[in-house]
């Protein structure tokens, strides 16, 4: 909520003695909030300050916190098992998606890299990845685009759906 974000920002501003690592990670979370609110300009400011604080706190912290894009608000799509009777026989499947993440935290060029079984949840997961906001990879304090990101997910499907 907007009021919660404002309160967190106010607390950070009023408390200069907060551990720099915690301060930086909190600013990164505020950047994530801005990305999810479709405000990449504000997110860039939070991420830049978070990167600076984490660099000051520990030499390896920014590379750990910002090395790869991170999902912010991904919600797995419901499978037929989630929507139907659970007493029917079902099995577990998996899907690995490949995609790019822009500096503004949006996925593009989404494709199914591997699915077992193929075709059961391909479209649903591809759509959800395109709808998801990501914390972009941060290099030298600035968000950058990342190509070739992979994400694996597991789902249940009715055994009869496999055919």
């Amino acid at each position: 909520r907007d009021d919660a974000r404002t309160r967190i920002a106010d607390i950070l501003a009023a408390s200069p003695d907060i551990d720099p690592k915690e301060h930086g990670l909190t600013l990164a979370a505020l950047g994530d909030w801005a990305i999810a609110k479709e405000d990449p300009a504000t997110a860039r400011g939070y991420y830049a300050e978070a990167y600076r604080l984490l660099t000051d706190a520990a030499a390896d912290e920014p590379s750990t916190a910002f090395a790869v894009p991170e999902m912010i608000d991904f919600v797995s799509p419901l499978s037929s098992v989630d929507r139907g009777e659970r007493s029917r026989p079902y099995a577990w499947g998996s899907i690995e998606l490949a995609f790019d993440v822009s500096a503004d935290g949006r996925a593009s060029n989404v494709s199914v890299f591997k699915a077992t079984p193929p075709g059961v949840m391909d479209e649903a997961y591809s759509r959800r990845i395109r709808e998801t906001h990501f914390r972009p990879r941060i290099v030298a304090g600035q968000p950058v685009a990342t190509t070739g990101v992979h994400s694996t997910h597991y789902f249940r499907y009715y055994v009869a759906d496999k055919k």
Side-chain angles (χ1 to χ4, degrees):
R1 295 183 355 218
D2 288 346
D3 60 330
R5 185 214 48 88
T6 301
R7 177 139 169 74
I8 291 168
D10 290 346
I11 290 168
L12 290 176
S15 306
D17 58 338
I18 292 176
D19 175 65
K21 180 178 175 182
E22 292 303 318
H23 193 158
L25 293 174
T26 302
L27 287 172
L30 290 174
D32 297 346
W33 176 89
I35 285 285
K37 288 291 201 174
E38 306 281 341
D39 185 0
T42 299
R44 282 191 293 276
Y46 282 128
Y47 291 146
E49 183 62 12
Y51 189 91
R52 185 190 68 73
L53 285 167
L54 292 173
T55 299
D56 291 348
D60 66 339
E61 197 62 42
S63 62
T64 303
F66 300 125
V68 296
E70 296 287 336
M71 289 181 179
I72 295 172
D73 56 2
F74 178 79
V75 177
S76 296
L78 297 176
S79 72
S80 57
V81 175
D82 298 323
R83 292 186 309 269
E85 298 175 25
R86 294 179 190 206
S87 60
R88 291 175 47 200
Y90 66 86
W92 284 93
S94 64
I95 187 166
E96 183 177 353
L97 299 137
F99 51 93
D100 302 332
V101 174
S102 72
D104 291 340
R106 297 313 305 239
S108 62
N109 302 320
V110 179
S111 64
V112 176
F113 185 75
K114 181 180 177 183
T116 306
V120 173
M121 294 291 290
D122 295 19
E123 183 54 38
Y125 271 93
S126 294
R127 184 176 55 253
R128 284 294 168 92
I129 288 293
R130 285 190 299 274
E131 295 169 352
T132 298
H133 297 92
F134 291 82
R135 173 188 294 166
R137 185 168 56 103
I138 310 292
V139 176
Q142 295 301 310
V144 296
T146 305
T147 58
V149 177
H150 283 250
S151 184
T152 301
H153 304 271
Y154 299 93
F155 58 89
R156 297 177 300 176
Y157 64 95
Y158 289 124
V159 175
D161 291 348
K162 183 174 139 181
K163 296 175 183 170

